[in-house]
Amino acid sequence: MTLLTTWPESGPQTVVRRTSDPEAIAAALTPAGVRYEQWPLRETDTADPDAVLSAYAPEVARLTAEEGFVTVDAIALHPDGAPDWTRRTRPAREKFLSEHTHDDDDEVRFFVDGAGVFYLHVGAEVHAVLCERGDLLGVPKGTRHWFDMGTEPSFTAIRFFHEPDGWIGRFTGSDIASRFPGLDEIHAGYAA
């Protein structure tokens, strides 16, 4: 279930907003310039990037034409059964858990499968957007944010870039992300 939770930037002791209604999520995020959409679900081999891009070709073409993206790819991160899976994925998770911005590009992701949480630090609030299958989120360049894929990442996403070099983050140095519940806690029903 897609979920938006908004807290004051001071921490999660008080919930300002909590909703799973897609229209309410879009309405809450639009003033910050954040794009939120739900796309139709399609069956595809989520481990095959070409199959993923082919399955969602009409939506990818529409968004690329609207926004002028120059690079689109699909990434899959799913447990492979190896005993060192968590250890191997920890560096990727930790990289995105720190608050950062992007100077020259929006961060746009469509979740084909699995889940992740984008945290948007906008003004004096933090919006946690639990994205799941069918969700597209576009974080405007310059927006302070971070992302949690959980302790055992499992998702397939289509990524859109205006820059051919892809993801380039500028870390703020803030420890704000450490004050908020992660994907695992949100999935477990965190409700402070």
Side-chain angles (χ1 to χ4, degrees), residues 13 20 23 52 82 89 97 124 134 137 176:
Q13 296 77 17
S20 59
E23 290 180 16
V52 167
T89 58
L97 275 176
L137 191 74
I176 189 169

Side-chain angles (χ1 to χ4, degrees), residues 38-44 55-56 59 110-113 132-135:
Q38 288 190 319
W39 286 2
L41 301 178
R42 304 235 166 77
E43 293 304 317
T44 185
Y56 287 94
E59 290 82 6
F110 171 69
F111 285 80
V112 176
D113 191 39
E132 296 191 319
R133 187 172 186 230
D135 291 331

Side-chain angles (χ1 to χ4, degrees), residues 78-162:
H78 295 281
D80 60 11
D84 64 344
W85 168 251
T86 301
R87 181 185 59 76
R88 286 186 291 121
T89 58
R90 188 175 301 128
R93 179 183 187 222
E94 289 173 1
K95 174 181 178 181
F96 300 115
L97 275 176
S98 296
E99 184 183 68
H100 61 277
T101 64
H102 303 284
D103 293 335
D104 299 320
D105 211 345
D106 300 341
E107 186 159 344
V108 180
R109 304 292 181 265
F110 171 69
F111 285 80
V112 176
D113 191 39
V117 179
F118 276 93
Y119 298 82
L120 314 171
H121 185 186
V122 178
E125 294 181 326
V126 170
H127 305 284
V129 186
L130 170 62
C131 295
E132 296 191 319
R133 187 172 186 230
D135 291 331
L136 176 117
L137 191 74
V139 180
K141 66 181 175 182
T143 302
R144 295 173 294 168
H145 66 283
W146 64 95
F147 176 73
D148 188 13
M149 59 183 78
T151 54
E152 298 211 15
S154 183
F155 67 90
T156 299
I158 298 175
R159 307 182 305 171
F160 298 83
F161 301 101
H162 291 106

Side-chain angles (χ1 to χ4, degrees), residues 16-57:
V16 174
R17 175 187 304 107
R18 173 166 281 177
T19 182
S20 59
D21 176 58
E23 290 180 16
I25 293 170
L29 298 176
T30 296
V34 176
R35 180 182 201 133
Y36 173 76
E37 299 176 4
Q38 288 190 319
W39 286 2
L41 301 178
R42 304 235 166 77
E43 293 304 317
T44 185
D45 178 356
T46 60
D48 179 353
D50 291 333
V52 167
L53 292 172
S54 177
Y56 287 94

